[in-house]
Amino acid sequence: FLGIVGNQIGMATYVVGGFVRDLLLGRKNYDIDIVVEGDARYFAQTFGRYFEVTCVEHKEFLTTSIFFKNGLRIDVATARTEYYEEPAVLPNVEMSTIKKDLYRRDFSINAMAIKLNQEEFGLLLDFFGCKRDLEKGVIRTLYPLSFVEDPTRILRAIRFEQRFNFRIEEHTLELLKKYVAQNYLERVTGQRLRDELEKIIEEPEPIKAIKRMDELGVLNHLFPHSLVDAETLSMLKRYFNRKRSSSPKPVYILAMILLRESSPEKLDSIVKRYGFPKKFPDWIRKAMSISRELKKIIVKGEQLSYRIFFETVRKPEPEILWFIDAFLDEENSKKFQNYLQKLEKEKPKITGSILIDKFGLKEGKEIKKILDKLQLAKLEGLPDDEE
Ligand code: ATP
């Protein structure tokens, strides 16, 4: 129907990018990006006459999003050329043809279009050997300055390479390494890098991409002095395997694990760069000190128990809890999760005010000591009537 609307208003209409790539690969993709050679807003409005949809315009990018009631979304963009007044900042955009629109895209595998207009419905537009690259499993930029104009493509290249088990083409890889070494990632805003990192974390196998980022020197430009050793990898593996909906922002946990040995000054600059919470260095400090304590106990061959968790961990912020959990093997992680659940559920019936009113206790420290003892007894299975 998109093509019919295109015909009705005399606009060449194409589905482009990731949708076409995934269609050719036989993979599911419900992100539909449409490009029209004409006014995207007018296209969306005309489309809206036939369906109950809401259109939202993003003027500066010449795009309009069409939202259906069932949650489906179609993005319509005016075919455009981008020109960069400075490298690594967002470009200016100008109306153009589909060929130029495809040329400004990140990699050849993402630079194909399929025509939707009735007379040529289904025609594949492949101006730059894109289909061949897709068949060969190659990630290739379309022009030499691609990484300079948008260094976030460095992260995108790695993400697609690892997702599809492709390889970054030789010349593209040379350029990637060159611009990484010339600090082009440092020119991008922390927020844009964070967005790309979050997309990497959402991949089914983020560790593969993280290892590749390390191998290509990218990680050290994102998080200087990050530590990637066997412990880092096993912590990340555990975290990504166990990550549940209750996890705080995964990018915080990733950075905490990578930067766990960094000095407070270095952490401060990371906080500024990525807009992390001010408490971030403090989370690492606390998480590390608890982990070190637990490690000592494990090394001694002792079992981790509710008592040990209660004495060393208590109940800090979720970021710290997730870090500690990643630090623990499967068996201890289960114990730890049980401990946290119990800590939440099983509170002693006796409260501070009962101790004051009924038992005449006055001193805060003493009250706290008694409440702690009661809570621990409860964790270890003391029935209510024995309190
Ligand atoms: P995914 O499957 O991860 O959603 P995608 O290819 O759909 O992959 P998007 O980030 O949704 O990725 O981008 C849609 C399309 O826009 C891409 O296929 C690509 O053609 C283009 N694109 C996105 N980001 C860039 C970029 N930084 N530089 C150039 N082109 C880009």
Side-chain angles (χ1 to χ4, degrees):
F1 194 81
L2 290 155
I4 295 176
V5 171
N7 274 47
Q8 194 187 331
I9 56 178
M11 265 184 218
T13 305
Y14 308 90
V15 58
V16 297
F19 182 88
V20 177
R21 175 199 70 214
D22 287 345
L23 188 72
L24 294 173
L25 288 173
R27 293 170 72 108
K28 271 191 194 144
N29 187 335
Y30 299 110
D31 275 348
I32 303 172
D33 288 316
I34 299 295
V35 169
V36 291
E37 285 179 322
D39 183 354
R41 190 186 50 164
Y42 181 49
F43 180 94
Q45 281 168 350
T46 311
F47 186 86
R49 283 196 217 132
Y50 299 93
F51 294 95
E52 242 189 280
V53 291
T54 313
C55 297
V56 178
E57 198 189 348
H58 318 279
K59 269 196 190 125
E60 75 270 42
F61 297 118
L62 305 176
T63 61
T64 301
S65 301
I66 303 177
F67 294 92
F68 289 78
K69 285 240 155 67
N70 65 0
L72 180 74
R73 164 186 172 163
I74 296 178
D75 287 323
V76 185
T78 296
R80 65 204 197 217
T81 316
E82 293 179 346
Y83 58 96
Y84 290 77
E85 282 180 351
E86 272 177 69
V89 296
L90 288 175
N92 295 317
V93 291
E94 208 171 64
M95 214 164 134
S96 161
T97 60
I98 185 72
K99 184 171 179 183
K100 285 187 184 160
D101 182 287
L102 294 173
Y103 187 63
R104 70 170 176 94
R105 287 172 186 264
D106 49 2
F107 308 110
S108 58
I109 60 164
N110 291 337
M112 284 176 275
I114 293 176
K115 197 155 188 185
L116 299 178
N117 299 87
Q118 284 154 306
E119 65 288 354
E120 285 182 308
F121 184 87
L123 178 75
L124 179 74
L125 267 62
D126 174 9
F127 298 106
F128 320 109
C130 307
K131 192 158 173 262
R132 185 199 56 207
D133 284 349
L134 194 65
E135 283 160 359
K136 285 201 303 188
V138 161
I139 308 293
R140 182 170 57 87
T141 48
L142 294 168
Y143 52 98
L145 286 179
S146 186
F147 290 127
V148 171
E149 287 187 350
D150 182 357
T152 66
R153 291 173 187 163
I154 292 168
L155 300 187
R156 294 177 64 84
I158 294 173
R159 176 159 65 91
F160 291 123
E161 181 193 49
Q162 297 305 314
R163 178 198 294 175
F164 298 124
N165 277 324
F166 282 9
R167 66 191 159 78
I168 300 173
E169 177 269 334
E170 208 177 314
H171 183 57
T172 300
L173 191 65
E174 254 171 53
L175 294 172
L176 182 151
K177 286 187 194 158
K178 175 175 151 185
Y179 294 120
V180 169
Q182 290 182 8
N183 295 334
Y184 271 84
L185 283 166
E186 281 79 346
R187 296 186 180 211
V188 185
T189 62
Q191 187 54 51
R192 291 193 65 214
L193 292 175
R194 216 176 126 164
D195 291 346
E196 286 302 330
L197 269 174
E198 277 164 4
K199 287 187 197 162
I200 286 179
I201 293 172
E202 289 308 315
E203 291 289 316
E205 295 183 274
I207 307 257
K208 280 172 65 191
I210 291 167
K211 277 192 192 161
R212 184 72 161 141
M213 284 199 284
D214 184 42
E215 182 190 311
L216 296 175
V218 169
L219 214 48
N220 251 313
H221 283 263
L222 297 178
F223 299 118
H225 308 282
S226 51
L227 173 66
V228 184
D229 60 5
E231 183 158 80
T232 306
L233 294 177
S234 67
M235 286 183 79
L236 289 175
K237 217 177 273 171
R238 287 168 182 156
Y239 171 64
F240 290 126
N241 285 340
R242 294 173 194 163
K243 184 160 72 84
R244 287 171 280 268
S245 53
S246 62
S247 168
K249 289 212 166 85
V251 70
Y252 297 160
I253 314 292
L254 169 70
M256 283 172 77
I257 294 174
L258 291 173
L259 298 168
R260 67 193 188 283
E261 303 281 0
S262 290
S263 66
E265 307 80 65
K266 287 184 183 126
L267 294 178
D268 282 343
S269 67
I270 294 283
V271 166
K272 280 204 198 94
R273 171 125 179 79
Y274 293 103
F276 283 176
K278 282 212 179 70
K279 280 186 167 178
F280 180 77
D282 209 42
W283 289 340
I284 296 190
R285 193 181 52 74
K286 283 193 197 145
M288 280 304 276
S289 110
I290 296 169
S291 303
R292 282 196 195 104
E293 284 305 307
L294 295 179
K295 195 172 192 168
K296 271 191 225 157
I297 295 163
I298 294 170
V299 169
K300 270 198 250 161
E302 281 176 40
Q303 296 279 321
L304 293 183
S305 60
Y306 286 173
R307 174 176 292 273
I308 287 171
F309 287 133
F310 190 72
E311 281 164 4
T312 43
V313 183
R314 283 301 174 102
K315 199 180 173 303
E317 288 104 315
E319 288 75 9
I320 300 178
L321 293 179
W322 277 94
F323 182 101
I324 298 169
D325 189 72
F327 180 77
L328 299 172
D329 65 19
E330 216 48 49
E331 192 188 328
N332 283 321
S333 155
K334 275 201 190 111
K335 280 187 198 167
F336 185 49
Q337 292 304 327
N338 285 340
Y339 157 80
L340 291 174
Q341 273 180 11
K342 247 186 146 181
L343 191 69
E344 200 56 49
K345 270 196 280 177
E346 310 210 353
K347 300 253 159 59
K349 275 194 175 163
I350 294 179
T351 60
S353 46
I354 296 179
L355 290 177
I356 296 167
D357 298 344
K358 286 205 175 161
F359 295 88
L361 293 181
K362 287 199 184 78
E363 221 191 306
K365 258 192 196 163
E366 200 181 359
I367 294 173
K368 190 171 177 308
K369 221 164 142 189
I370 295 173
L371 289 176
D372 275 359
K373 277 196 175 160
L374 279 170
Q375 171 111 49
L376 183 57
K378 195 99 194 175
L379 284 169
E380 290 182 327
L382 176 82
D384 281 345
D385 52 2
E386 285 184 25
E387 266 184 23

